[in-house]
Amino acid sequence: MKKMNLIFLSFLLLACGSKTEDAGQIDSSSSDLAIYDFHQDHVNCLISSEQPGDTPWTLALGEWLDECLGGCYDGDPRDMKALVAFYGEAKTDSLRTALDDPDADVELEFEAIVERVYETDRFVTYSLSTYIGLGGAHPLSMEEGVTFRKSDGRRLDWSIVRNSMRGELNELIKSSLMDYLGVANEEELETYMARTDIYDIPLPQTPPYLLENGVAFIYQPYELMAYAMGMPADTIGYERMMPLLTSNVQRLIEHDN
């Protein structure tokens, strides 16, 4: 088939539109899950998310997923089943558009899975795993996470790091990247990051999130280095991260560790 370019990939990620004629089925057998599952004529679309019910972070979770999938849903973000159905139909339509190419005799896929990955009595963390297969040599997989404060649903982001500590964080991330790549020094690191100043490595585009053992960071494919290098990620232990975090977040963590 003809090569799917990045313009169409961006279109798929931001797909918003009307309902497809053959809508996927929303699984209503469980009040805890919202699922859109469509498989027909070389088009496969699966979106799944927890429906947390009436919690302080329900709205924030829905808003986050809406933003990740395109930011086009104008319904109530707390209704996860409606939100998942909206984006499932939109992504399905986008994949069908790709099949207008008569040479596109391949499976086209979009998958987005939201899961609760860690929880304490003060905060809860979710992950979003996305997979896009458009028939090219390199399907695109992406991972990100998000942490919400349970008391009021506040979404934690880069503001958890003290402004005065960004330099120290940069050094910790550089060390993590060296471990990820298995390199011994900055000169070797630079060979993998020819387009990046290793003395001022940009923070990941997606915010950090809290796990049991520390603060997790992840770079998406192509964000920092070549596709073959995957998604550089690390969880930096709380004992190293604590001095860099704001007092509010320190209290949040100390209560549960």
Side-chain angles (χ1 to χ4, degrees):
M1 68 177 286
K2 295 178 182 178
K3 184 180 180 180
M4 297 291 180
N5 59 34
L6 292 177
I7 294 176
F8 179 76
L9 177 59
S10 299
F11 172 68
L12 179 62
L13 287 169
L14 300 174
C16 303
S18 58
K19 294 183 179 180
T20 188
E21 293 179 1
D22 300 313
Q25 297 298 311
I26 298 299
D27 183 357
S28 59
S29 62
S30 171
S31 60
D32 297 327
L33 289 176
I35 300 175
Y36 177 98
D37 194 1
F38 181 92
H39 301 278
Q40 182 178 312
D41 299 330
H42 303 292
V43 169
N44 304 291
C45 181
L46 173 63
I47 302 178
S48 173
S49 176
E50 173 184 300
Q51 172 74 62
D54 185 17
T55 72
W57 66 90
T58 299
L59 175 61
L61 176 63
E63 290 176 337
W64 174 70
L65 183 57
D66 174 38
E67 293 167 11
C68 291
L69 294 180
C72 304
Y73 179 66
D74 60 5
D76 186 348
R78 292 169 295 187
D79 187 348
M80 191 65 74
K81 292 185 178 181
L83 188 154
V84 164
F86 172 84
Y87 279 109
E89 292 160 6
K91 306 300 182 183
T92 297
D93 283 342
S94 296
L95 293 173
R96 282 177 159 174
T97 298
L99 281 173
D100 286 343
D101 182 345
D103 297 324
D105 188 19
V106 296
E107 296 294 313
L108 303 187
E109 302 175 80
F110 179 86
E111 182 175 294
I113 307 296
V114 175
E115 296 180 298
R116 189 184 302 211
V117 293
Y118 184 61
E119 179 177 10
T120 73
D121 63 348
R122 288 203 170 187
F123 63 85
V124 57
T125 297
Y126 291 86
S127 70
L128 170 61
S129 302
T130 306
Y131 175 87
I132 303 171
L134 301 178
H138 300 299
L140 183 63
S141 296
M142 294 175 284
E143 300 279 347
E144 58 186 292
V146 65
T147 298
F148 302 104
R149 186 166 61 190
K150 282 188 170 182
S151 62
D152 56 5
R154 179 189 174 188
R155 186 198 312 183
L156 304 186
D157 54 25
W158 283 110
S159 63
I160 71 172
V161 179
R162 297 179 182 180
N163 290 334
S164 60
M165 293 294 180
R166 293 301 172 97
E168 285 79 356
L169 177 60
N170 186 277
E171 289 301 312
L172 286 179
I173 289 179
K174 182 193 297 185
S175 176
S176 295
L177 289 171
M178 293 172 65
D179 290 341
Y180 176 84
L181 295 168
V183 300
N185 52 56
E186 293 177 342
E187 288 73 21
E188 292 182 33
L189 176 62
E190 197 164 20
T191 64
Y192 288 94
M193 302 172 59
R195 295 178 297 177
T196 302
D197 181 358
I198 65 169
Y199 301 103
D200 188 21
I201 297 173
L203 298 178
Q205 294 177 7
T206 53
Y209 47 101
L210 307 183
L211 294 176
E212 180 177 9
N213 298 322
V215 181
F217 303 88
I218 187 166
Y219 289 91
Q220 304 306 314
Y222 299 112
E223 185 178 346
L224 203 60
M225 55 189 71
Y227 176 88
M229 296 300 101
M231 293 181 283
D234 192 20
T235 300
I236 302 177
Y238 287 123
E239 69 280 0
R240 300 175 70 191
M241 283 297 301
M242 272 299 197
L244 282 63
L245 301 176
T246 63
S247 298
N248 287 336
V249 178
Q250 287 183 4
R251 287 191 292 268
L252 200 67
I253 296 167
E254 286 170 346
H255 185 272
D256 297 294
N257 287 272

